[in-house]
Amino acid sequence: MNTTAFSFFVGIIALTLLITYFAAKKNKSTSEFYVAGGNITGWQNGLAIAGDYMSAASFLGIAGAIALNGFSGFFYSIGYLVAYLVVLLIVAEPLRNLGKYTMADMIAARFNTKAIRSAAALNTLAISTFYMIAQLVGAGVIIKLLLGFDYSTSVIIIGILMTIYVVAGGMLATTWVQIVKAVLLMGGTITLSLMVLAHFNFSPVELFNQVAAKIGDKAVTPPAPTTFKAGLDSISLNLALVLGTAGLPHILIRFLSVPDARTARKSIVIATWVIGLFYLMTPILGYGAAYFVGTDAIKKANAAGNLAAPQLAAYLGGDIFLAFISAVAFATILAVVAGLVISAASAFAHDFYSNVLRKGQATEAEQMKAARWASVGIAVFSILLALGARDFNVSYLVALAFCVAASANLPVIVLTIFWKRFNTTGAVTAMLSGLISSVGLILLSPNVMSPADAIFPLKSPAIISIPLGFIAAYLGTVLSSTAAKAEEDNHTKIFVQANTGIKQLS
């Protein structure tokens, strides 16, 4: 066991548990549990969003993808960053003005039915589970590398910790864990990037030239698709990345933890700058790992390349820096999984249990109890799935979550705000069609089946499932027999509220 690494890990765990202890003292109501009472400031929320978004996929997966696949791995960085423009321009302000605790609250501001709540909760649980598997896979390989625990034990450890954070500390603890993680991750990434560039006169161009000379031009040149199918897969992947963020429940819920829409916009701007700087450094990490560590050594440590960044840290900074970077990756995973658990637990307790099963009659104590039990159940389920996914690249696993989010949530969010004729039937149809088509095509794709036996040829189904979500919304609306007059009238009220925050027309 690496004793230095163990010390760093213990320090990270102690710090986050201390945060949770103090947060637990304030975690007395459903509002405090779900959204920290709406009292998070703009800069705090901006850093927390960045901490939530810069996941194991970003730090471990993208660096590994670039190291092993060259520039094509950078597509993930581009897609993740551009996605925040969609969030800023379309989603952030309306969600804050219409929502209360969850994404479903926004939709229910116009269509308040059990079917809407149930479908939205189902989507949140599915997306959060996909995303959480990726984080747990990353945690498993990191802890195995440094502490010598086997993969299964490592996944169970992280699962127990994330459950403690959410059950005890709620959104306030989750927010501060994410802030600490964002600061540590940016510090570690900047330091590691500077250590790489110091060998190339602090010139990224010289780094790329040296990598091309050592490995080949293909490593730094954007590859042209070799087949029509490969081209479609590339387009489909980028559609999922760019559009998926606007439908991710654990990101959307962050806009409900601030006091007003202006603060929500401010937090997005801060998050975009932090995230943009981080993703600009991922090629330096990926190419640095390919140059110094070598692709064969990266593959030997982990076939998917998930350990490229820690291996680079070990090469340039020795065991101490390896321990620090790995502890940062560990903190990254802790923060993201805590956000995922609380978004999924909120969806179950608030949307399904309180508003569907209990018809809005559940007491605060009952909701808190349901949310905490849901947190435990979601954690256990995700751990079981992660145990069978150890050889997947974590960045690709997250891309699949983005695909489901873009297909199942984005159409109904956009149309709820902007289409007057949109009705309950269309909303439910859109959410279920997007969810079923995206998950179904993933199960029939080469991700799950062998390439020779795969029924659906593309690895990313977004190019099919996202349009299906919008088409289902349209057909469900125009073909339904629902008397939509009241819902059309309600659109005017929620459109004003979404854009101004004014709840009643004068």
Side-chain angles (χ1 to χ4, degrees), residues 420 487-497 505:
K420 184 175 183 178
E487 292 181 348
E488 287 188 18
D489 291 341
N490 198 35
H491 172 263
T492 303
K493 183 183 75 173
I494 71 103
F495 186 78
V496 172
Q497 183 180 339
L505 290 175

Side-chain angles (χ1 to χ4, degrees), residues 35 41 66 90 94 133 141 145 183 230 233 251 294 313 366 383 410 418 447 451 458 469 476 496 498:
V35 293
T41 66
I66 293 173
I90 297 177
I133 292 170
V141 296
L145 170 71
V183 173
D233 231 340
I251 297 296
E366 289 172 335
I383 288 168
L410 182 62
F418 295 107
N447 300 300
L458 303 181
V496 172

Side-chain angles (χ1 to χ4, degrees), residues 51-103:
D52 220 348
Y53 199 64
M54 296 184 300
S55 65
S58 302
F59 187 57
L60 301 178
I62 294 178
I66 293 173
L68 297 182
N69 305 315
F71 190 87
S72 59
F74 189 53
F75 286 151
Y76 290 102
S77 293
I78 298 171
Y80 289 150
L81 178 56
V82 173
Y84 262 91
L85 296 177
V86 180
V87 178
L88 176 62
L89 297 174
I90 297 177
V91 175
E93 186 173 349
L95 181 70
R96 179 60 193 88
N97 286 332
L98 293 174
K100 185 179 180 183
Y101 297 147
T102 65
M103 182 202 76

Side-chain angles (χ1 to χ4, degrees), residues 6-315:
F6 184 75
S7 300
F8 275 113
F9 274 66
V10 170
I12 292 289
I13 293 171
L15 177 61
T16 51
L17 288 176
L18 185 64
I19 290 170
T20 303
Y21 170 75
F22 285 108
K25 294 182 177 181
K26 299 181 179 181
N27 190 29
K28 304 300 182 182
S29 68
T30 52
S31 176
E32 289 163 345
F33 182 87
Y34 294 141
V35 293
N39 294 320
I40 304 299
T41 66
W43 72 266
Q44 290 171 346
N45 202 46
L47 282 176
I49 290 171
D52 220 348
Y53 199 64
M54 296 184 300
S55 65
S58 302
F59 187 57
L60 301 178
I62 294 178
I66 293 173
L68 297 182
N69 305 315
F71 190 87
S72 59
F74 189 53
F75 286 151
Y76 290 102
S77 293
I78 298 171
Y80 289 150
L81 178 56
V82 173
Y84 262 91
L85 296 177
V86 180
V87 178
L88 176 62
L89 297 174
I90 297 177
V91 175
E93 186 173 349
L95 181 70
R96 179 60 193 88
N97 286 332
L98 293 174
K100 185 179 180 183
Y101 297 147
T102 65
M103 182 202 76
D105 285 333
M106 173 189 178
I107 304 168
R110 185 173 175 189
F111 315 114
N112 193 13
T113 67
K114 291 183 180 179
I116 290 289
R117 295 275 187 184
S118 299
L122 179 63
N123 284 353
T124 296
L125 292 170
I127 295 164
S128 298
T129 299
F130 264 107
Y131 213 112
M132 208 177 311
I133 292 170
Q135 310 310 312
L136 293 174
V137 169
V141 296
I142 281 287
I143 298 176
K144 184 178 186 297
L145 170 71
L146 285 177
L147 303 183
F149 298 153
D150 64 40
Y151 175 82
S152 300
T153 303
S154 303
V155 170
I156 292 171
I157 289 172
I158 196 86
I160 292 172
L161 286 171
M162 72 185 184
T163 307
I164 292 172
Y165 298 148
V166 174
V167 170
M171 177 57 87
L172 184 61
T174 299
T175 298
W176 279 103
V177 169
Q178 289 163 344
I179 291 170
V180 170
K181 163 269 179 87
V183 173
L184 288 174
L185 181 60
M186 287 301 294
T189 304
I190 291 171
T191 303
L192 186 54
S193 297
L194 290 175
M195 292 175 72
V196 171
L197 291 176
H199 291 78
F200 302 94
N201 298 317
F202 294 97
S203 171
V205 174
E206 186 173 335
L207 165 63
F208 301 154
N209 289 337
Q210 291 293 332
V211 170
K214 183 175 182 178
I215 301 174
D217 288 337
K218 291 182 179 179
V220 296
T221 304
T226 55
T227 64
F228 179 71
K229 185 181 82 170
L232 282 180
D233 231 340
S234 180
I235 294 171
S236 188
L237 171 63
N238 281 280
L239 275 175
L241 298 180
V242 170
L243 298 178
T245 302
L248 289 174
H250 70 292
I251 297 296
L252 298 179
I253 198 174
R254 292 238 54 96
F255 304 127
L256 303 175
S257 65
V258 295
D260 51 49
R262 181 181 179 183
T263 309
R265 290 195 302 273
K266 179 181 178 181
S267 62
I268 278 290
V269 172
I270 293 171
T272 302
W273 279 103
V274 175
I275 293 166
L277 177 60
F278 172 80
Y279 283 128
L280 286 176
M281 293 186 286
T282 53
I284 298 173
L285 302 184
Y287 287 130
Y291 186 87
F292 291 114
V293 180
T295 55
D296 290 339
I298 292 171
K299 289 179 181 177
K300 184 177 180 180
N302 181 264
N306 292 324
L307 293 177
Q311 286 176 285
L312 176 63
Y315 184 92

